[in-house]
Amino acid sequence: VSLSVFPVAGIGDVHSGDDLAALIVEAIEASDLSIARRDVLVITHKVVSKAEGAVVEGVWTDADYRRLVEREATAVVRRRADLVIAETHHGFVCANAGVDRSNTSPGTAVLLPADPDRSAHRLRQKFEQAFGVDLGVVISDTFGRAWRRGVVDVAIGVSGVEAVVDHRGTTDTYGRVLEATEVALADEIAAAADLVMGKATGIPVAVVRGIKSDGAGGRAADLVRRPEEDLFR
Amino acid sequence: VSLSVFPVAGIGDVHSGDDLAALIVEAIEASDLSIARRDVLVITHKVVSKAEGAVVEGVWTDADYRRLVEREATAVVRRRADLVIAETHHGFVCANAGVDRSNTSPGTAVLLPADPDRSAHRLRQKFEQAFGVDLGVVISDTFGRAWRRGVVDVAIGVSGVEAVVDHRGTTDTYGRVLEATEVALADEIAAAADLVMGKATGIPVAVVRGIKSDGAGGRAADLVRRPEEDLFR
């Protein structure tokens, strides 16, 4: 019952209109990795956004970039100097409303996918067809956190694996009912995948093997804490 | 260059004064797992706290518990009904100041270790002596997050592996200098380990193999965002 995380190399640059699922399937088939039932394919959102054309041109200056961030933000949670922590239309709270200028052509910026759960679902369907087994898909992005230094990868799109696992009502080893134990499974999967992907390596996909989840109904929208339940916006 | 995470079973209940390192070494030696150079042993803080005697007796009622939480909190960041988000003397911001009533004997509550980085360092020294190779240690706890539902495991004590990896100054695949890229490596390791430990399984230790880190000077204190840099307290 151990867990394995395999990087998938060789996908190369992705452009608007590319069939991302086909590129990933090709890269996996060219590797010595064989996909197994219930494997979870974790994909950095950047290649998803690029394939879907969620890329803005003409973003040359910091002022261009800031205008774009303001456009993508539905609410600004905090602002200090050049840093904007903003809510996106998906409900995610992250730096610069998820608009990113790294690992994209000069003069362009990459947005979040319009509907990352739907993107994950479509990718999963194609992967399941290609590999002939039930799979999970997590689309990841790199978020900062309140109170803690450093960024971590989290799930912004999920299909075929639970996003939040509810342990409430189960008991600990002393028979005590567990409290506060909705586990953000998909976020932990995204974090584990980042350990083999890294930030500057050009590896946008990892395969996580050994997740115990029946996959029923997972979606990253479940990871968004509703504003009325949130003490921090 | 893949990553593996192995659960370590068979440690059983831990009591004040137990030699936790010896219990973990025994459990590993009784398993079919052989420890390799640069493996990272991830240990849930609960067994560390128990071995160190960071357990409070006489916590029978919710009022007892709330009093203890107030005592452990150095500052209350948010409060709503029974939920207290508090800062601890270590600088961590978490629910109930890290005081936990699950997986501990009835009438007791477990505190955070007094100095989790020192605990990690001591455990690492004993593990390195037992296994004869350089190792990393991460002591983990389960924290909620602002804005996102569900809890994830994070690092509260670190030794022998970097806690925060600074990619600033490195370039992306287009030659652009990366921004905002201090990665919370130890938190991602803790999250990956939780994928094999779970909340109700009685598996308090996992071995993470395949982390690229020279380990120099890692400590979880580096994961604490200083209040003057923090927009959320």
Side-chain angles (χ1 to χ4, degrees), chain B residues 72-75 86-94 96-98 112:
Chain B
E72 290 298 301
T74 55
E87 185 172 329
T88 69
H89 71 87
H90 323 78
F92 301 130
V93 176
C94 55
N96 302 318
L112 297 183

Side-chain angles (χ1 to χ4, degrees), chain A residues 3 5 13 78 103 145 147-151 153 155 172-174 182 184 187-188 194 223 230-232, chain B residues 3 5 13 78 103 145 147-151 153 155 172-174 182 184 187-188 194 223 230-232:
Chain A
L3 187 89
V5 189
D13 206 1
R78 290 287 191 287
N103 284 305
R145 297 89 49 85
W147 317 307
R148 293 181 76 79
R149 273 181 63 208
V151 293
D153 274 18
D172 67 16
T173 48
Y174 293 86
E182 289 189 303
D187 283 344
E188 293 194 328
D194 189 48
L223 286 160
D230 197 331
L231 297 173
F232 297 97
Chain B
L3 187 90
V5 188
D13 206 0
R78 289 287 190 288
N103 284 305
R145 297 89 50 86
W147 316 309
R148 294 180 76 78
R149 274 181 62 209
V151 294
D153 273 19
D172 66 17
T173 49
Y174 292 85
E182 289 189 305
D187 282 343
E188 294 194 327
D194 188 48
L223 286 162
D230 196 330
L231 298 174
F232 297 96

Side-chain angles (χ1 to χ4, degrees), chain A residues 85-139:
Chain A
I85 312 288
E87 185 173 329
T88 70
H89 71 85
H90 323 78
F92 302 130
V93 175
C94 55
N96 301 316
V99 183
D100 197 339
R101 287 189 291 182
S102 69
N103 284 305
T104 182
S105 320
T108 68
V110 179
L111 311 179
L112 297 184
D115 183 345
D117 278 328
R118 190 162 62 178
S119 305
H121 180 72
R122 287 176 178 165
L123 287 164
R124 180 168 69 92
Q125 286 185 313
K126 291 183 179 180
F127 293 141
E128 290 185 342
Q129 196 162 24
F131 296 113
V133 287
D134 289 345
L135 296 168
V137 168
V138 169
I139 297 174

